[in-house]
Amino acid sequence: MVKLTLLLAFVGLAAAAPFKLNNGFPNPSPSALAEIQKEAGGTLPNTPLPTSLKADAIQSLQVIAVNEIFETAYFSSLLHNVTNNVHGYTDFDGLSRDYVIKSLKQIRAQEELHAIGANAILASAGAKTIGSCNYMFPVTDFKSAITLAATFTDLVLGTLQNVNKGFALDGGQAAEGLVPLLDSIIAQEGEQDGAYRLIQRKVPSAAPFLTSSAGQFAFNAVDQLFIVPNSCSQSSNVSAIGIPAYKTLTLSTSSEKPCSTKDTTLTFKTSESDVNGKHIAYISGQNKPVVVPVQSVNGKTFKASFPFTKGFSKGLTVAALVNSAGPFSNAADVANATVAGPGLIEVD
Ligand SMILES: *[C@@H]1O[C@H](CO)[C@@H](O)[C@H](O)[C@H]1NC(C)=O
Ligand SMILES: *[C@@H]1O[C@H](CO)[C@@H](O)[C@H](O)[C@H]1NC(C)=O
């Protein structure tokens, strides 16, 4: 009896420990790669890779690699939890457990190939490839894990739009070699996202035009939410990417729920101590960012209006605490003025 209790306590501890990828990923052996491709339902592209890329394109691919490696860890952990009947991971709201396991295996392998593909392009262009860190996941049940997966996938879908714009305009090899590839990944992540929304009983497609984002927001989201602090080794090259670290920006849980039918006021928390006089910029759909002043500042807590009916899109809105009243023409412009963020707000 005593033994059993001890064992259970140990299992509990082990499950809560930071998640570490240790199967050779993201540098699998040739036979492991063949297995991943089989599981993923397709192979890495066999068309020629760029041999040289501009600095911005390299930075974008490094951010993509950071994100895809994190996603691999996330879906590995989720698959582990479902496969091992971990508490909270046994109710799939009507989906069969076999179907969930089969889907998670395939999705994990697909994310692995996205990450391996990004690193292969970086290597081909003579740039630093990205390694894994240790990860933590702020969820302990299947439904919340899927809701969170939908949120970070929304952020990726927005970020890749901007990456593609950079690739198309930089005058180098990225337009020809990488834009169609990224388009295919955007659609692939969109397929995933529709399923995650369906599991939440949301309409599969959130809005006619999905919210844009920027590499800085994607990187900071993974760094703030999922990477165990100081767990990226020097050789992972994550700290060499050169994206500025923002302060955090989250919705205070006591705040009114963001709403699609009327304008509301939201309460935010930030790790930035100098909030007075700053603004919140919202990026929603393909519209010009909306900027509102912060109100009722109380240390690191403050309020800001959330004027959804002024042309916001359902699904993700990216919020940022910015040091200028704008106007901003796009997500990259907002990122350039951001002090804290991204705040990830999902409406319907
Ligand atoms: C898997 O379960 C552990 C233990 O409950 C939890 O800490 C972790 O966040 C879960 N992972 C995912 C991706 O849901
Ligand atoms: C970023 O913002 C600064 C002002 O804070 C401005 O001088 C600079 O031109 C901006 N850069 C870009 C790329 O928008």
PDB file of all heavy atoms in Angstrom, residues 12 21 28 43 90 167 195 210 233:
ATOM      1  N   GLY A  12       3.229  11.134 -10.630  1.00  0.00           N
ATOM      2  CA  GLY A  12       2.709  12.499 -10.686  1.00  0.00           C
ATOM      3  C   GLY A  12       3.829  13.493 -10.910  1.00  0.00           C
ATOM      4  O   GLY A  12       3.729  14.371 -11.758  1.00  0.00           O
ATOM      5  N   LEU A  21      12.551  16.722 -25.398  1.00  0.00           N
ATOM      6  CA  LEU A  21      12.602  15.843 -26.567  1.00  0.00           C
ATOM      7  C   LEU A  21      13.928  15.119 -26.536  1.00  0.00           C
ATOM      8  O   LEU A  21      14.980  15.747 -26.481  1.00  0.00           O
ATOM      9  CB  LEU A  21      12.502  16.677 -27.841  1.00  0.00           C
ATOM     10  CG  LEU A  21      11.116  17.206 -28.190  1.00  0.00           C
ATOM     11  CD1 LEU A  21      11.226  18.362 -29.152  1.00  0.00           C
ATOM     12  CD2 LEU A  21      10.249  16.104 -28.770  1.00  0.00           C
ATOM     13  N   PRO A  28      16.952  13.569 -36.522  1.00  0.00           N
ATOM     14  CA  PRO A  28      16.743  12.119 -36.491  1.00  0.00           C
ATOM     15  C   PRO A  28      17.715  11.401 -37.431  1.00  0.00           C
ATOM     16  O   PRO A  28      18.191  11.987 -38.406  1.00  0.00           O
ATOM     17  CB  PRO A  28      15.306  11.962 -36.986  1.00  0.00           C
ATOM     18  CG  PRO A  28      15.063  13.158 -37.842  1.00  0.00           C
ATOM     19  CD  PRO A  28      15.874  14.272 -37.234  1.00  0.00           C
ATOM     20  N   THR A  43       6.303  13.001 -47.543  1.00  0.00           N
ATOM     21  CA  THR A  43       7.744  13.198 -47.355  1.00  0.00           C
ATOM     22  C   THR A  43       8.102  14.676 -47.294  1.00  0.00           C
ATOM     23  O   THR A  43       7.286  15.534 -47.624  1.00  0.00           O
ATOM     24  CB  THR A  43       8.529  12.595 -48.542  1.00  0.00           C
ATOM     25  OG1 THR A  43       8.208  13.374 -49.704  1.00  0.00           O
ATOM     26  CG2 THR A  43       8.142  11.142 -48.791  1.00  0.00           C
ATOM     27  N   THR A  90      -8.813  11.369 -20.784  1.00  0.00           N
ATOM     28  CA  THR A  90      -9.538  10.144 -21.130  1.00  0.00           C
ATOM     29  C   THR A  90     -10.922  10.438 -21.708  1.00  0.00           C
ATOM     30  O   THR A  90     -11.608   9.524 -22.140  1.00  0.00           O
ATOM     31  CB  THR A  90      -9.697   9.250 -19.881  1.00  0.00           C
ATOM     32  OG1 THR A  90     -10.282  10.029 -18.838  1.00  0.00           O
ATOM     33  CG2 THR A  90      -8.350   8.717 -19.409  1.00  0.00           C
ATOM     34  N   PHE A 167       9.432  37.032 -47.606  1.00  0.00           N
ATOM     35  CA  PHE A 167      10.056  36.157 -48.603  1.00  0.00           C
ATOM     36  C   PHE A 167       9.799  36.683 -50.021  1.00  0.00           C
ATOM     37  O   PHE A 167      10.676  36.663 -50.879  1.00  0.00           O
ATOM     38  CB  PHE A 167       9.474  34.738 -48.517  1.00  0.00           C
ATOM     39  CG  PHE A 167       9.957  33.921 -47.342  1.00  0.00           C
ATOM     40  CD1 PHE A 167       9.370  32.688 -47.064  1.00  0.00           C
ATOM     41  CD2 PHE A 167      10.986  34.357 -46.518  1.00  0.00           C
ATOM     42  CE1 PHE A 167       9.811  31.913 -45.999  1.00  0.00           C
ATOM     43  CE2 PHE A 167      11.425  33.597 -45.437  1.00  0.00           C
ATOM     44  CZ  PHE A 167      10.835  32.358 -45.173  1.00  0.00           C
ATOM     45  N   ALA A 195     -10.093  21.461 -37.137  1.00  0.00           N
ATOM     46  CA  ALA A 195     -10.416  20.312 -36.278  1.00  0.00           C
ATOM     47  C   ALA A 195     -10.416  20.729 -34.810  1.00  0.00           C
ATOM     48  O   ALA A 195     -11.297  20.320 -34.045  1.00  0.00           O
ATOM     49  CB  ALA A 195      -9.412  19.187 -36.519  1.00  0.00           C
ATOM     50  N   LEU A 210      -8.248  35.676 -41.843  1.00  0.00           N
ATOM     51  CA  LEU A 210      -7.683  35.408 -40.513  1.00  0.00           C
ATOM     52  C   LEU A 210      -6.677  36.489 -40.110  1.00  0.00           C
ATOM     53  O   LEU A 210      -6.052  37.142 -40.946  1.00  0.00           O
ATOM     54  CB  LEU A 210      -7.033  34.030 -40.487  1.00  0.00           C
ATOM     55  CG  LEU A 210      -7.977  32.838 -40.700  1.00  0.00           C
ATOM     56  CD1 LEU A 210      -7.265  31.538 -40.381  1.00  0.00           C
ATOM     57  CD2 LEU A 210      -9.251  32.966 -39.879  1.00  0.00           C
ATOM     58  N   SER A 233      19.995  25.372 -24.705  1.00  0.00           N
ATOM     59  CA  SER A 233      21.458  25.373 -24.653  1.00  0.00           C
ATOM     60  C   SER A 233      21.995  26.357 -25.680  1.00  0.00           C
ATOM     61  O   SER A 233      21.298  26.734 -26.627  1.00  0.00           O
ATOM     62  CB  SER A 233      21.979  23.972 -24.963  1.00  0.00           C
ATOM     63  OG  SER A 233      21.658  23.657 -26.304  1.00  0.00           O
TER      64      SER A 233
END
